[in-house]
Amino acid sequence: MILIIFLTCIARTAPAQHTVISLKLSEAIKESLTNNDSILLSRLEKTSESADLKLAHRKFTPLLSVDAGIYKNSIENVANFSKSIGPKVTWTLPTGASITYAWELNDAGNGSKNYANDMLSISQPLLRGAGFSNSYASVKIAENQNQILQLQRKNLISSKITDVIFFYRNLQKAKQARIIAEQSLKRAKEFLKITRELIDAGRIPESEYLSVDFDLSSQEQSLDQALLAEFVASSELSALWMAIPTSAQFDPVDEIQAIPVRLGKIEEIISTGLSRNPDYQAMLLQTEQSEIAKRLAKDAQLPEISLQINSTRYKSPLNSRQDKSVGLVLQIPINDFSTERAAVQADVKLQKSLVELKASELRIARSIVSIVRNIEILERQILISERRIVLSKKKIEIELEKFKAGRSSNFQLLSYQEELRLAELSSIDTKINYLNYLTILDNQLGTTLETWGISVEN
C-alpha cells in the first residue's frame, strides 16, 4: 500500500520535477545514432577493417626493402670500415608466380675496389597454387569479410533505429492513455455535477450519487497510473543514449498517424527481403567463403610442381661471373592426411552453410507473410475501432439526455462511458501495433536505413 502511494506521488509530480523536452521521432533517432556506445565502437572497428582490406588489395604490389650495414674491422692491428647496401624487391603476380630481385654493393674499406652481386629468382606454380582464382582467393575472402562486417554494421544501426521507434511509440501510447484518462476524469466530474443537480432538484434519489462518486475515484486512480506509465516510458526512451540526462522527461510531439500503406504482391515483398535483408546477405557471403575454402582445400591436395628460374651475377675486383639455372621442382606428399582432412572439413562446412542458408530463406519468407497478414488485419481493425469510438460517443449523448429526463440510470451511463474509454485505448493500441508492424517489416526487408535517409558510411 505504501509503495502504491509512493508511485502515485511520483506520477503526479513528474511533470513539475523533471525537465520536459519536446521530441520528434526523427530527433530521437538522430540522437540515438550520435550518442550510442555500440555504434561508436563500430566506427572505431571500421578503421581497422579498412586497413585489413587495403592490405589484401596490395597483395600484387611489389614490396621494396633495403638492407644496409657498416662494420669496423681490425686485421693485424689495422682498422678499417666496410660498408654494404642492398635493395630487394619481391613481387607476387596474379598467376601465382613469385619474383625476387636482390642487389648488393659491398665496400671492403681497405682501398680495394667495390664489388657487387645481384640475384633474380622466379618461381611459377604449375599445379598447386597456380592460376588467377587461387591467387585472388585471399583478396576475395578479404572483400567478402569486409562486406559481411558492413552488413553487420547496417544490421546494428537498423536494430538501434527500430528500438528507438518502439520506445518512442510506447511513449506516444502512454501519453495518449494519459490524455484519455484526463478526458474520462473530466467526463466523470461533469457527470457528478449533473447528478448532484438532479438530486438537488429531487429528480433522482441521493443513492445515485454514491456510484458516480466511486467512478470519479476510479478515474482519478486511472489517471495516476497513466501518469506513472508515461513517466516510466520516458525514462526507458532516455536510457537509449547517454547525452540526455536521466532527469529529463520527453514529450513526443509527433502525431500517431496510421495511414494505410500499399505493400504490393507478397512474392515481390519476399524477393525484396531476400535481396536486402542484412542477415541473409551476410549468409550468402559466408556461403561463398565456404565455397572458396573448399576449392583451396582441394587445390592443396594436388602435387606441387613449379618452374624455377634463377640467375646470380658476381662482380669483384678479381673476376666476374654469372650463374644461371632453369628447372622444375616436384613435391608429392606420400602419407600426409592433413590435406584430405582439411578438404573433408571444408566440404562439410559448405554443406552446412547451404542448409542454413535455405532455412534462413524459408524463415524470412514465413516471417514476411506473417507480418503482412498482421498489417492487413490491423488496417481493418483501425477502421472498426474508430467506428466504435463514434458510436460510443453517440450512445453517451443519447443516454445522458435520457438520464436527465429520468428515463435511464447512472449505471447505464457509466458503463457507456467506460466503453468509450476502452474503445479509445483500443484504437490507440491498434494504431501503434499497425505502425510497429510496418517498422518490423521495414527491418525484415533491410530497408530501415533507406526509409529514414541514413547511410552506413555516414
Side-chain angles (χ1 to χ4, degrees), residues 93-112:
L93 299 182
T95 60
S98 175
I99 300 176
T100 302
Y101 176 77
W103 177 76
E104 184 180 24
L105 176 65
N106 293 277
D107 180 5
N110 53 6
S112 61

Side-chain angles (χ1 to χ4, degrees), residues 2-3 12 21 31 43 63 68 73 83 117 125 153 180 207 253-254 293 334 339 352 384 392 397 407 409 424 426 453:
I2 296 175
L3 178 61
R12 286 179 171 174
I21 301 175
E31 189 69 28
R43 291 173 183 168
L63 299 178
N73 305 310
K83 300 177 287 295
N117 304 323
R153 188 178 299 110
I180 292 172
S207 59
V253 295
D254 287 0
I334 302 300
T339 55
K352 288 177 62 178
I384 295 172
S392 295
E397 291 176 3
R407 294 186 290 109
S409 65
E424 290 173 335
S426 176

Side-chain angles (χ1 to χ4, degrees), residues 99-147:
I99 300 176
T100 302
Y101 176 77
W103 177 76
E104 184 180 24
L105 176 65
N106 293 277
D107 180 5
N110 53 6
S112 61
K113 294 183 179 180
N114 299 335
Y115 62 93
N117 304 323
D118 64 339
M119 182 270 294
L120 174 66
S121 175
I122 301 175
S123 177
Q124 172 62 61
L126 301 178
L127 195 57
R128 185 200 303 176
F132 290 91
S133 61
N134 286 325
S135 297
Y136 277 100
S138 60
V139 179
K140 185 61 177 176
I141 289 173
E143 290 175 344
N144 285 353
Q145 185 62 29
N146 184 68
Q147 291 183 46

